[in-house]
């Protein structure tokens, strides 16, 4: 594909990120009407010629999750019917990713697979996403999936602040691989928080593996939802003598009373990216800082369009 054929469309979930991405690409955002009928059904009309073009639909499946997902599906269908040569869904935050397996034969759905099937059914040719909650979700697709990482953006901020006596902390055992990678890049120690979760969206810190006394603790996670885990982790780290606790997370879901919890917690700062737009109260919270991944996304989309390497963006 030539650079001239690259087009980007978006829905209503995160238009600012889409505008920042096309600004990086030095192109105009694709013109489309994305609205609602009076009964709430999604209405889409593509307002320019896409025939033969390499088209990206850039939208996170953030709240309202179902509407955001349905918008992607309807926009893709409109583009395919308008004879776009290739349609790639760029989904910075891939919703429903936390339900990716049946645990102990429980009678539950595997919603990550359901979403994969839905995207494939409307003719998506490729998926570009960021920091999937579980890497194995890539295997749920029968089309190419590029899972890029917010690490360069988060690392850049950590290096800029030059934190002293640093230690990277994994908030749970499942995040050890991510935290170990970050600790390796920062050339510092790693600590792990062992916790037990009595029920969904509730966590209880049990033990801290590693010496955090007098250290600047940087918690690394892929998403922050209710912020229960982060706030309990911050309290446990401070009780063990940590000098300060800063959390870095790619996806700021921040549902329910999350912002209030962060504001009233032992967490000194929460740094997130703009894969999900911040709520008004999160913007006003002085403990929450947002970084932009627009240039990282834009460069990734450009490389996908030009059939060049994506992995070279993340070579250590």
């Amino acid at each position: 594909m030539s650079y001239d054929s690259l087009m980007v469309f978006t829905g209503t979930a995160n238009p600012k990120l889409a505008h920042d991405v096309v600004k990086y690409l030095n192109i105009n955002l694709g013109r489309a009407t994305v609205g609602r009928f009076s009964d709430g059904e999604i209405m889409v009309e593509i307002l320019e010629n896409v025939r033969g073009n390499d088209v990206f639909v850039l939208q996170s499946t953030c709240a309202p999750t179902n509407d955001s997902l349905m918008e992607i599906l309807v926009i893709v269908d409109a583009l395919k019917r308008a004879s776009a040569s290739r349609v790639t869904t760029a989904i910075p935050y891939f919703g429903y990713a936390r339900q990716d397996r049946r645990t102990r034969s429980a009678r539950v759905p595997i919603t990550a697979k359901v979403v994969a099937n839905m995207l494939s059914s409307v003719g998506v040719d490729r998926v570009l996403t960021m920091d999937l909650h579980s890497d194995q979700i890539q295997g749920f697709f029968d089309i190419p999936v590029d899972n890029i990482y917010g690490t360069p953006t988060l690392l850049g901020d950590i290096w800029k602040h030059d934190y002293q006596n640093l230690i990277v902390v994994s908030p749970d055992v499942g995040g050890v691989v991510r935290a170990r990678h970050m600790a390796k890049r920062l050339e510092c120690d790693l600590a792990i928080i062992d916790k037990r979760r009595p029920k969904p969206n509730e966590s209880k810190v049990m033990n801290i593996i590693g010496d955090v006394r007098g250290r600047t603790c940087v918690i690394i996670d892929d998403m922050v939802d209710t912020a229960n885990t982060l706030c309990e982790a911050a309290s446990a780290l401070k009780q063990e003598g940590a000098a300060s606790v800063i959390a870095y997370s790619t996806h700021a879901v921040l549902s329910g009373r999350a912002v209030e919890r962060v504001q009233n917690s032992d967490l000194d700062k929460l740094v997130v990216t703009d894969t999900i737009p911040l709520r008004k109260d999160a913007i006003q919270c002085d403990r929450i800082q947002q970084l932009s991944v627009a240039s990282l996304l834009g460069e990734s989309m450009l490389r996908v369009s030009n059939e060049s390497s994506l992995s070279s963006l993340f070579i250590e």
Side-chain angles (χ1 to χ4, degrees), residues 6 8 22 47 118 120 128 140-141 159 203 207 225 236 239 255 257 261-263 287 304:
L6 174 61
V8 179
V22 296
L47 300 177
M118 293 169 71
S120 297
L128 174 67
F140 294 173
F141 290 86
W159 280 327
S203 62
N207 189 34
D225 186 357
Q239 288 171 14
S255 63
R257 298 174 53 223
R261 289 191 185 98
V262 170
Q263 184 64 51
R287 295 196 185 191
V304 168

Side-chain angles (χ1 to χ4, degrees), residues 193 208 212-217 219 231-246 265-269 287:
I193 295 177
I208 296 175
V212 300
R213 186 169 301 278
R215 310 290 291 273
T216 299
C217 297
I219 302 175
C231 294
E232 289 179 1
S235 296
L237 291 167
K238 286 288 182 73
Q239 288 171 14
E240 289 294 316
S244 61
V245 181
I246 302 149
S265 72
D266 289 319
L267 200 62
D268 293 284
K269 185 168 63 171
R287 295 196 185 191

Side-chain angles (χ1 to χ4, degrees), residues 2-266:
S2 68
Y3 182 66
D4 293 336
S5 72
L6 174 61
M7 301 182 75
V8 179
F9 289 84
T10 191
T12 62
N14 196 350
K16 184 181 184 304
L17 177 59
H19 280 93
D20 290 343
V21 167
V22 296
K23 183 178 180 180
Y24 173 85
L25 293 170
N26 198 28
I27 61 175
N28 293 320
L29 187 63
R31 293 185 297 114
T33 298
V34 181
R36 301 288 187 275
F37 290 105
S38 58
D39 63 351
E41 289 183 7
I42 293 166
M43 172 188 63
V44 168
E45 182 181 1
I46 307 300
L47 300 177
E48 54 187 300
N49 179 31
V50 298
R51 187 179 298 273
N53 284 4
D54 188 17
V55 182
F56 288 78
V57 179
L58 174 58
Q59 170 138 301
S60 288
T61 52
C62 51
T65 305
N66 298 328
D67 283 0
S68 299
L69 175 59
M70 195 64 190
E71 280 185 11
I72 293 174
L73 300 175
V74 176
I75 293 170
V76 169
D77 185 73
L79 291 167
K80 298 296 286 189
R81 294 179 187 278
S83 301
S85 176
R86 181 174 68 175
V87 177
T88 301
T89 52
I91 309 174
Y93 169 65
F94 189 92
Y96 285 110
R98 283 173 284 186
Q99 299 177 73
D100 60 347
R101 65 195 184 280
R102 292 179 66 195
T103 56
R104 298 185 178 85
S105 299
R107 298 180 181 89
V108 295
I110 301 179
T111 53
K113 174 61 175 173
V114 173
V115 173
N117 289 343
M118 293 169 71
L119 291 169
S120 297
S121 70
V122 293
V124 171
D125 296 293
R126 192 179 197 98
V127 174
L128 174 67
T129 188
M130 178 176 285
D131 281 334
L132 269 176
H133 188 63
S134 301
D135 286 338
Q136 66 265 24
I137 292 173
Q138 296 170 78
F140 294 173
F141 290 86
D142 293 322
I143 56 177
V145 177
D146 293 304
N147 180 30
I148 63 174
Y149 306 98
T151 307
T153 301
L154 302 181
L155 271 173
D157 189 75
I158 295 173
W159 280 327
K160 182 181 74 173
H161 284 89
D162 191 24
Y163 298 118
Q164 299 301 307
N165 204 13
L166 187 67
I167 185 170
V168 170
V169 179
S170 174
D172 51 36
V173 175
V176 169
V177 173
R178 182 182 300 106
R180 184 185 293 122
H181 170 75
M182 191 70 85
K184 181 180 178 182
R185 296 293 303 274
L186 293 168
E187 299 180 346
C188 67
D189 295 331
L190 173 67
I192 303 168
I193 295 177
D194 172 37
K195 71 174 190 215
R196 295 183 184 178
R197 191 186 298 272
K199 57 184 178 179
N201 290 332
E202 287 190 14
S203 62
K204 184 177 181 180
V205 174
M206 301 297 290
N207 189 34
I208 296 175
I209 304 170
D211 183 12
V212 300
R213 186 169 301 278
R215 310 290 291 273
T216 299
C217 297
V218 171
I219 302 175
I220 302 295
D221 209 352
D222 64 320
M223 71 170 70
V224 51
D225 186 357
T226 63
N228 270 324
T229 297
L230 280 182
C231 294
E232 289 179 1
S235 296
L237 291 167
K238 286 288 182 73
Q239 288 171 14
E240 289 294 316
S244 61
V245 181
I246 302 149
Y248 281 81
S249 180
T250 304
H251 308 301
V253 180
L254 295 176
S255 63
R257 298 174 53 223
V259 175
E260 180 184 343
R261 289 191 185 98
V262 170
Q263 184 64 51
N264 297 327
S265 72
D266 289 319

Side-chain angles (χ1 to χ4, degrees), residues 263-287:
Q263 184 64 51
N264 297 327
S265 72
D266 289 319
L267 200 62
D268 293 284
K269 185 168 63 171
L270 169 62
V271 183
V272 297
T273 76
D274 57 352
T275 58
I276 298 174
L278 290 180
R279 297 173 357 194
K280 185 177 180 180
D281 57 346
I283 294 173
Q284 295 172 344
C285 180
D286 57 5
R287 295 196 185 191

